[in-house]
Amino acid sequence: MTAVQQHAASDPAGPTGRLATWVAGLTLGDVPADVIERAKYLLLDGLGCALVGAQLPWSRIATGAVLELEGAGDTVVIGTGHTTGAPAAAVLNGTFIQGFELDDFHPLAPLHSCSLLIPALLSTASVRPHPTTGAEFLLGAIAGFEVGPRVGYTLHGTQMLDRGWHSGPVFGTHSAAMASGKLRGLPPAQLEDALGLAGTQSAGLMAAQYEAMSKRMHHGLAARNGCYAAGLAAAGYTGIKRVFEREYGGFLSVFGEGHNPDAAVLTGQLGQRWETTFIMVKSYAAMGGLHGAIDAARRLRSSIAPKDISTVDITVGETVYKHGWWRPERPLTPIGAQMNIGYATAAALLDGNVLTEQFTPARLDADDIWSLISNTSVHLDESLTNAPITERFRTDVTVTTRDGAVHRARVDLPHGAPTDPVTNDELVAKFHCLADRVTSRRRADAIERAMVGLENLDDIDELNDLLAAPVAGALD
């Protein structure tokens, strides 16, 4: 066997082999300038979420527990002043980024990319025998931004949520593994092993959304699993070959059972259509499917006094209905409130926004919130299930006031959707809205400069130094 054959994927023409070969060959020169630019700002958004998430009450519990389990190491745990082993740091850093439902998400193949990629890349960089440049870090991130959604497409994206899987940690192991594997410089054969090792670790149950702190950790666990997958592959430990196309026990045959998975979309238009530009940046601290309702509620609030509201009726499609509506019980946990369309809409109507202040213990148990929730009805529009993608997440909010007047607002796609993206300037403003409340403006400015000029950074340890020191608690 020649050296080329040893380094090639087992079937270079198959879906798994094509993906591994593309990741192995990707260079920054292959990536359009606007994609590179957007990737840097997405990473900045992820770091803002990490800083605000590092000292939340549930994050502190996670930090204490994981450090006790894992012990010492050299990898930075963002915003805590602690270091630990690379896998443990990946768990915690991913948990922080996902810690307050403010991080990015992909609308068609739902996952939270930065909570997978930043932890996997920081942990991988910490165990490399030589410094990691910002350009290498950026290229690894772009590989991950591209892979995760494509895996999601193979399972028809939101159908996984409809079935009760937490889609992000199901798709996300591959995203983290390819980012970590790219940073390690793995050839196609070992990237194929990493995909197989990642796929066999995919998991996540969406029932965690009701009250479990563990929902915050799912992407962190996937980041660790992807980091492990690449590390094992780099050492010669083999994974499942052709993991996507195996008929028995393969990724698509198992997770796609009963809903016609499509392996072709895994590699369709690779290097031509860039998923990085479809990733949504959140404007609110709530599950992405609720942003249409929040936008509609804020629009209505401009002409309705909250004290005059009598009833609220909300109509949504299947994914948002299944994922975001159940009759809540008082008081909700923060995670439950951030997932529940009744709570999020009530908060938007009453407070005009859905950010950290709407999830304090006092607000979660406030009489005005619960009075409005008790007068809220949510309806399923089954016709949206097979509607065009531009209509599938349509949200209708109808508010009836005490004088009998009816006020309606419809949002087809919320601000932040690919047709109306959060701009890079808006993203910087969001970063400072988050970071400045938990650390100094000087430190936040330095992080911003490092990320915006990431491709020019000689050593990612410069970024680690900025991320390491403890931050204040966002809810303290």
Side-chain angles (χ1 to χ4, degrees), residues 246-269:
R246 289 280 193 181
E247 292 185 5
Y248 174 73
F251 183 80
L252 297 184
S253 61
V254 171
F255 283 105
E257 186 176 11
H259 62 138
N260 301 314
D262 182 4
V265 295
L266 183 68
T267 56
Q269 295 184 291

Side-chain angles (χ1 to χ4, degrees), residues 20-249:
T21 302
W22 182 81
V23 170
L26 184 66
T27 69
L28 280 181
D30 299 325
V31 185
D34 64 317
V35 176
I36 292 173
E37 192 75 358
R38 189 59 171 176
K40 293 187 293 183
Y41 282 91
L42 289 172
L43 293 169
L44 177 66
D45 184 63
L47 293 180
C49 294
L51 293 169
V52 87
Q55 296 288 351
L56 294 167
W58 43 91
S59 297
R60 288 169 173 160
I61 294 172
T63 299
V66 171
L67 292 182
E68 184 174 347
L69 287 167
E70 296 279 2
D74 298 323
T75 309
V76 166
V77 181
I78 296 171
T80 65
H82 295 295
T83 58
T84 186
V91 173
L92 289 173
N93 290 332
T95 300
F96 299 165
I97 296 171
Q98 249 274 280
F100 215 78
E101 288 300 321
L102 281 158
D103 55 327
D104 67 83
F105 76 104
H106 194 287
L108 305 183
L111 80 168
H112 304 280
S113 294
C114 281
S115 62
L116 299 159
L117 303 179
I118 291 173
L121 289 166
L122 289 176
S123 289
T124 302
S126 73
V127 298
R128 293 179 84 198
H130 49 78
T132 295
T133 67
E136 291 173 314
F137 190 97
L138 179 57
L139 183 60
I142 292 171
F145 283 138
E146 293 301 313
V147 167
R150 290 176 178 278
V151 177
Y153 287 147
T154 65
L155 297 171
H156 307 295
T158 57
Q159 283 190 23
M160 293 301 284
L161 279 176
D162 297 346
R163 292 161 70 100
W165 289 103
H166 190 179
S167 54
V170 175
F171 312 155
T173 53
H174 310 87
S175 183
M178 290 301 92
S180 180
K182 184 63 179 174
L183 190 55
R184 288 178 175 273
L186 300 186
Q190 288 179 305
L191 288 174
E192 180 182 16
D193 286 327
L195 287 168
L197 289 159
T200 204
Q201 298 179 86
S202 292
L205 298 176
M206 206 57 249
Q209 73 177 26
Y210 299 114
E211 70 283 312
M213 292 179 186
S214 62
K215 195 270 177 188
R216 319 281 191 184
M217 192 175 278
H218 283 180
H219 281 70
L221 293 170
R224 177 202 63 187
N225 294 345
C227 196
Y228 253 116
L232 289 167
Y237 197 82
T238 58
I240 300 167
K241 299 293 188 182
R242 304 183 298 284
V243 67
F244 290 107
E245 57 263 44
R246 289 280 193 181
E247 292 185 5
Y248 174 73

Side-chain angles (χ1 to χ4, degrees), residues 122-420:
L122 289 176
S123 289
T124 302
S126 73
V127 298
R128 293 179 84 198
H130 49 78
T132 295
T133 67
E136 291 173 314
F137 190 97
L138 179 57
L139 183 60
I142 292 171
F145 283 138
E146 293 301 313
V147 167
R150 290 176 178 278
V151 177
Y153 287 147
T154 65
L155 297 171
H156 307 295
T158 57
Q159 283 190 23
M160 293 301 284
L161 279 176
D162 297 346
R163 292 161 70 100
W165 289 103
H166 190 179
S167 54
V170 175
F171 312 155
T173 53
H174 310 87
S175 183
M178 290 301 92
S180 180
K182 184 63 179 174
L183 190 55
R184 288 178 175 273
L186 300 186
Q190 288 179 305
L191 288 174
E192 180 182 16
D193 286 327
L195 287 168
L197 289 159
T200 204
Q201 298 179 86
S202 292
L205 298 176
M206 206 57 249
Q209 73 177 26
Y210 299 114
E211 70 283 312
M213 292 179 186
S214 62
K215 195 270 177 188
R216 319 281 191 184
M217 192 175 278
H218 283 180
H219 281 70
L221 293 170
R224 177 202 63 187
N225 294 345
C227 196
Y228 253 116
L232 289 167
Y237 197 82
T238 58
I240 300 167
K241 299 293 188 182
R242 304 183 298 284
V243 67
F244 290 107
E245 57 263 44
R246 289 280 193 181
E247 292 185 5
Y248 174 73
F251 183 80
L252 297 184
S253 61
V254 171
F255 283 105
E257 186 176 11
H259 62 138
N260 301 314
D262 182 4
V265 295
L266 183 68
T267 56
Q269 295 184 291
L270 264 175
Q272 299 170 46
R273 188 191 71 243
W274 294 89
E275 296 302 323
T276 304
T277 62
F278 283 87
I279 293 169
M280 291 180 63
V281 173
K282 287 186 178 182
S283 301
Y284 312 115
M287 183 260 286
L290 310 186
H291 283 219
I294 297 168
D295 275 354
R298 296 183 74 199
R299 189 181 302 169
L300 290 168
R301 191 178 186 272
S302 65
S303 59
I304 300 171
K307 63 181 178 59
D308 294 333
I309 297 173
S310 175
T311 63
V312 180
D313 288 278
I314 307 168
T315 302
V316 292
E318 182 179 20
T319 298
V320 177
Y321 186 83
K322 286 185 174 180
H323 188 18
W325 177 242
W326 67 96
R327 180 58 65 178
E329 297 181 6
R330 180 177 185 179
L332 278 165
T333 60
I335 187 62
Q338 290 174 308
M339 298 289 120
N340 187 275
I341 197 168
Y343 184 93
T345 305
L349 286 167
L350 293 170
D351 298 350
N353 220 332
V354 182
L355 292 170
T356 52
E357 294 80 8
Q358 280 64 55
F359 302 99
T360 62
R363 200 69 188 115
L364 289 167
D365 197 27
D367 289 340
D368 61 341
I369 287 270
W370 286 94
S371 176
L372 197 50
I373 291 173
S374 68
N375 290 311
T376 295
S377 300
V378 182
H379 313 281
L380 170 63
D381 184 347
E382 295 182 352
S383 72
L384 295 177
T385 301
N386 297 312
I389 197 64
T390 53
E391 301 174 20
R392 200 173 301 167
F393 298 99
R394 187 177 73 209
T395 302
D396 288 288
V397 176
T398 301
V399 171
T400 303
T401 49
R402 300 189 191 283
D403 61 3
V406 178
H407 307 262
R408 294 183 173 89
R410 168 174 287 184
V411 173
D412 290 322
L413 291 169
H415 182 47
T419 54
D420 179 25

